[in-house]
Amino acid sequence: MVKSLEGWNTKSAGDAAEDRALAHLQRQGLALECRNYRLAGGPHRRGAEIDLILRDRDGTLVFCEVRARRGSGHGGAAASIDAFKQQRIVRAASHYLMRYRTPPPCRFDVVAIDGDELRWLPAAFTA
């Protein structure tokens, strides 16, 4: 069942978008490794978060940003992931990868939800 974002607060709408994105990615064969990985900020920098960390069938670790908008105006959900946001995701991913002696292959995906349309963008940006 598709949950409507209408009338929800930002947190519940974001959770619903992540649920929808996760279900889609799992149907494509990816396995969830971690959800909402957070890196605390310091006194002069904001923290960073990765919405979904998944493992692809070939062993690639996938760091996925989920963005939802009511419509596709102003470039839509995908366009809202600017260079600054990408840097924060990369910083959090680098921190996450410190747990591995030898890091696996990685990529940065985006799931953009504009209204009812969901688009999965594998390798949407690079580090």
Side-chain angles (χ1 to χ4, degrees):
M1 171 169 62
V2 176
K3 297 178 184 177
S4 170
L5 302 181
E6 193 67 36
W8 286 32
N9 66 38
T10 303
K11 171 75 171 116
S12 58
D15 290 347
E18 286 178 17
D19 290 344
R20 186 173 168 202
L22 177 57
H24 177 80
L25 295 171
Q26 288 175 322
R27 284 191 302 272
Q28 305 308 312
L30 282 75
L32 181 64
E33 193 160 297
C34 181
R35 186 168 178 168
N36 300 120
Y37 179 78
R38 289 183 174 87
L39 177 61
H44 301 291
R45 67 181 350 180
R46 292 176 63 183
E49 179 182 350
I50 300 171
D51 296 326
L52 302 170
I53 302 174
L54 306 110
R55 187 72 67 159
D56 206 342
R57 291 178 185 165
D58 65 359
T60 299
L61 197 58
V62 178
F63 299 100
C64 186
E65 176 69 6
V66 178
R67 284 294 173 103
R69 297 290 182 266
R70 288 185 183 163
S72 58
H74 305 289
S80 71
I81 304 170
D82 60 15
F84 181 70
K85 179 64 177 174
Q86 291 176 24
Q87 288 175 344
R88 289 176 47 204
I89 294 168
V90 169
R91 184 164 43 95
S94 296
H95 186 268
Y96 185 85
L97 288 169
M98 290 191 316
R99 66 186 61 207
Y100 293 95
R101 175 175 281 160
T102 304
C106 302
R107 73 172 190 255
F108 296 92
D109 291 6
V110 168
V111 172
I113 302 171
D114 293 300
D116 290 332
E117 179 190 358
L118 182 147
R119 289 180 299 138
W120 174 28
L121 307 167
F125 61 93
T126 58

PDB file of all heavy atoms in Angstrom, residues 95-107:
ATOM      1  N   HIS A  95      32.949   7.586   7.467  1.00  0.00           N
ATOM      2  CA  HIS A  95      32.952   7.172   8.864  1.00  0.00           C
ATOM      3  C   HIS A  95      32.429   5.743   9.003  1.00  0.00           C
ATOM      4  O   HIS A  95      33.001   4.922   9.724  1.00  0.00           O
ATOM      5  CB  HIS A  95      32.109   8.147   9.690  1.00  0.00           C
ATOM      6  CG  HIS A  95      32.174   7.885  11.151  1.00  0.00           C
ATOM      7  ND1 HIS A  95      31.268   7.080  11.797  1.00  0.00           N
ATOM      8  CD2 HIS A  95      33.043   8.314  12.083  1.00  0.00           C
ATOM      9  CE1 HIS A  95      31.573   7.023  13.070  1.00  0.00           C
ATOM     10  NE2 HIS A  95      32.640   7.759  13.277  1.00  0.00           N
ATOM     11  N   TYR A  96      31.349   5.420   8.312  1.00  0.00           N
ATOM     12  CA  TYR A  96      30.778   4.072   8.362  1.00  0.00           C
ATOM     13  C   TYR A  96      31.784   3.031   7.880  1.00  0.00           C
ATOM     14  O   TYR A  96      31.892   1.941   8.443  1.00  0.00           O
ATOM     15  CB  TYR A  96      29.498   4.011   7.514  1.00  0.00           C
ATOM     16  CG  TYR A  96      28.767   2.707   7.605  1.00  0.00           C
ATOM     17  CD1 TYR A  96      27.855   2.471   8.633  1.00  0.00           C
ATOM     18  CD2 TYR A  96      28.975   1.699   6.670  1.00  0.00           C
ATOM     19  CE1 TYR A  96      27.177   1.270   8.732  1.00  0.00           C
ATOM     20  CE2 TYR A  96      28.293   0.488   6.758  1.00  0.00           C
ATOM     21  CZ  TYR A  96      27.406   0.283   7.793  1.00  0.00           C
ATOM     22  OH  TYR A  96      26.745  -0.922   7.883  1.00  0.00           O
ATOM     23  N   LEU A  97      32.537   3.373   6.845  1.00  0.00           N
ATOM     24  CA  LEU A  97      33.488   2.425   6.249  1.00  0.00           C
ATOM     25  C   LEU A  97      34.689   2.131   7.149  1.00  0.00           C
ATOM     26  O   LEU A  97      35.407   1.158   6.909  1.00  0.00           O
ATOM     27  CB  LEU A  97      33.967   2.943   4.895  1.00  0.00           C
ATOM     28  CG  LEU A  97      32.935   2.875   3.780  1.00  0.00           C
ATOM     29  CD1 LEU A  97      33.412   3.650   2.556  1.00  0.00           C
ATOM     30  CD2 LEU A  97      32.611   1.431   3.419  1.00  0.00           C
ATOM     31  N   MET A  98      34.895   2.917   8.183  1.00  0.00           N
ATOM     32  CA  MET A  98      36.025   2.679   9.085  1.00  0.00           C
ATOM     33  C   MET A  98      35.890   1.353   9.829  1.00  0.00           C
ATOM     34  O   MET A  98      36.872   0.827  10.347  1.00  0.00           O
ATOM     35  CB  MET A  98      36.184   3.835  10.072  1.00  0.00           C
ATOM     36  CG  MET A  98      36.671   5.088   9.399  1.00  0.00           C
ATOM     37  SD  MET A  98      37.191   6.450  10.473  1.00  0.00           S
ATOM     38  CE  MET A  98      35.950   6.537  11.720  1.00  0.00           C
ATOM     39  N   ARG A  99      34.708   0.774   9.848  1.00  0.00           N
ATOM     40  CA  ARG A  99      34.505  -0.505  10.533  1.00  0.00           C
ATOM     41  C   ARG A  99      35.074  -1.683   9.742  1.00  0.00           C
ATOM     42  O   ARG A  99      35.150  -2.795  10.251  1.00  0.00           O
ATOM     43  CB  ARG A  99      33.033  -0.737  10.818  1.00  0.00           C
ATOM     44  CG  ARG A  99      32.172  -0.925   9.573  1.00  0.00           C
ATOM     45  CD  ARG A  99      30.701  -1.011   9.845  1.00  0.00           C
ATOM     46  NE  ARG A  99      30.252   0.215  10.451  1.00  0.00           N
ATOM     47  CZ  ARG A  99      29.200   0.335  11.265  1.00  0.00           C
ATOM     48  NH1 ARG A  99      28.444  -0.708  11.509  1.00  0.00           N
ATOM     49  NH2 ARG A  99      28.877   1.478  11.796  1.00  0.00           N
ATOM     50  N   TYR A 100      35.440  -1.454   8.489  1.00  0.00           N
ATOM     51  CA  TYR A 100      35.950  -2.525   7.629  1.00  0.00           C
ATOM     52  C   TYR A 100      37.471  -2.456   7.529  1.00  0.00           C
ATOM     53  O   TYR A 100      38.028  -1.387   7.299  1.00  0.00           O
ATOM     54  CB  TYR A 100      35.380  -2.395   6.207  1.00  0.00           C
ATOM     55  CG  TYR A 100      33.896  -2.634   6.126  1.00  0.00           C
ATOM     56  CD1 TYR A 100      33.001  -1.568   6.160  1.00  0.00           C
ATOM     57  CD2 TYR A 100      33.374  -3.916   6.008  1.00  0.00           C
ATOM     58  CE1 TYR A 100      31.631  -1.779   6.081  1.00  0.00           C
ATOM     59  CE2 TYR A 100      32.016  -4.133   5.927  1.00  0.00           C
ATOM     60  CZ  TYR A 100      31.152  -3.056   5.963  1.00  0.00           C
ATOM     61  OH  TYR A 100      29.806  -3.273   5.890  1.00  0.00           O
ATOM     62  N   ARG A 101      38.111  -3.601   7.670  1.00  0.00           N
ATOM     63  CA  ARG A 101      39.557  -3.650   7.449  1.00  0.00           C
ATOM     64  C   ARG A 101      39.853  -3.336   5.994  1.00  0.00           C
ATOM     65  O   ARG A 101      40.727  -2.556   5.670  1.00  0.00           O
ATOM     66  CB  ARG A 101      40.095  -5.034   7.810  1.00  0.00           C
ATOM     67  CG  ARG A 101      41.567  -5.192   7.477  1.00  0.00           C
ATOM     68  CD  ARG A 101      42.115  -6.502   7.932  1.00  0.00           C
ATOM     69  NE  ARG A 101      42.360  -6.383   9.371  1.00  0.00           N
ATOM     70  CZ  ARG A 101      42.481  -7.412  10.172  1.00  0.00           C
ATOM     71  NH1 ARG A 101      42.365  -8.632   9.713  1.00  0.00           N
ATOM     72  NH2 ARG A 101      42.719  -7.240  11.449  1.00  0.00           N
ATOM     73  N   THR A 102      39.107  -3.975   5.088  1.00  0.00           N
ATOM     74  CA  THR A 102      39.196  -3.700   3.659  1.00  0.00           C
ATOM     75  C   THR A 102      37.799  -3.314   3.190  1.00  0.00           C
ATOM     76  O   THR A 102      36.919  -4.167   3.104  1.00  0.00           O
ATOM     77  CB  THR A 102      39.678  -4.954   2.888  1.00  0.00           C
ATOM     78  OG1 THR A 102      40.918  -5.380   3.428  1.00  0.00           O
ATOM     79  CG2 THR A 102      39.837  -4.646   1.410  1.00  0.00           C
ATOM     80  N   PRO A 103      37.588  -2.016   2.898  1.00  0.00           N
ATOM     81  CA  PRO A 103      36.242  -1.590   2.495  1.00  0.00           C
ATOM     82  C   PRO A 103      35.791  -2.255   1.201  1.00  0.00           C
ATOM     83  O   PRO A 103      36.583  -2.458   0.279  1.00  0.00           O
ATOM     84  CB  PRO A 103      36.395  -0.074   2.288  1.00  0.00           C
ATOM     85  CG  PRO A 103      37.625   0.298   3.038  1.00  0.00           C
ATOM     86  CD  PRO A 103      38.521  -0.910   2.981  1.00  0.00           C
ATOM     87  N   PRO A 104      34.511  -2.603   1.128  1.00  0.00           N
ATOM     88  CA  PRO A 104      33.960  -3.204  -0.092  1.00  0.00           C
ATOM     89  C   PRO A 104      33.766  -2.120  -1.152  1.00  0.00           C
ATOM     90  O   PRO A 104      33.824  -0.924  -0.850  1.00  0.00           O
ATOM     91  CB  PRO A 104      32.613  -3.752   0.375  1.00  0.00           C
ATOM     92  CG  PRO A 104      32.219  -2.852   1.503  1.00  0.00           C
ATOM     93  CD  PRO A 104      33.504  -2.474   2.176  1.00  0.00           C
ATOM     94  N   PRO A 105      33.482  -2.519  -2.391  1.00  0.00           N
ATOM     95  CA  PRO A 105      33.103  -1.519  -3.394  1.00  0.00           C
ATOM     96  C   PRO A 105      31.850  -0.798  -2.908  1.00  0.00           C
ATOM     97  O   PRO A 105      30.987  -1.401  -2.260  1.00  0.00           O
ATOM     98  CB  PRO A 105      32.801  -2.352  -4.646  1.00  0.00           C
ATOM     99  CG  PRO A 105      33.266  -3.737  -4.362  1.00  0.00           C
ATOM    100  CD  PRO A 105      33.450  -3.887  -2.895  1.00  0.00           C
ATOM    101  N   CYS A 106      31.762   0.489  -3.213  1.00  0.00           N
ATOM    102  CA  CYS A 106      30.647   1.315  -2.741  1.00  0.00           C
ATOM    103  C   CYS A 106      30.090   2.155  -3.875  1.00  0.00           C
ATOM    104  O   CYS A 106      30.778   2.423  -4.861  1.00  0.00           O
ATOM    105  CB  CYS A 106      31.112   2.276  -1.653  1.00  0.00           C
ATOM    106  SG  CYS A 106      31.833   1.478  -0.235  1.00  0.00           S
ATOM    107  N   ARG A 107      28.861   2.603  -3.669  1.00  0.00           N
ATOM    108  CA  ARG A 107      28.276   3.590  -4.575  1.00  0.00           C
ATOM    109  C   ARG A 107      27.228   4.396  -3.814  1.00  0.00           C
ATOM    110  O   ARG A 107      26.769   3.996  -2.735  1.00  0.00           O
ATOM    111  CB  ARG A 107      27.693   2.944  -5.819  1.00  0.00           C
ATOM    112  CG  ARG A 107      26.410   2.185  -5.646  1.00  0.00           C
ATOM    113  CD  ARG A 107      25.807   1.743  -6.993  1.00  0.00           C
ATOM    114  NE  ARG A 107      24.484   1.245  -6.775  1.00  0.00           N
ATOM    115  CZ  ARG A 107      24.153  -0.046  -6.801  1.00  0.00           C
ATOM    116  NH1 ARG A 107      25.059  -0.969  -7.081  1.00  0.00           N
ATOM    117  NH2 ARG A 107      22.899  -0.413  -6.576  1.00  0.00           N
TER     118      ARG A 107
END
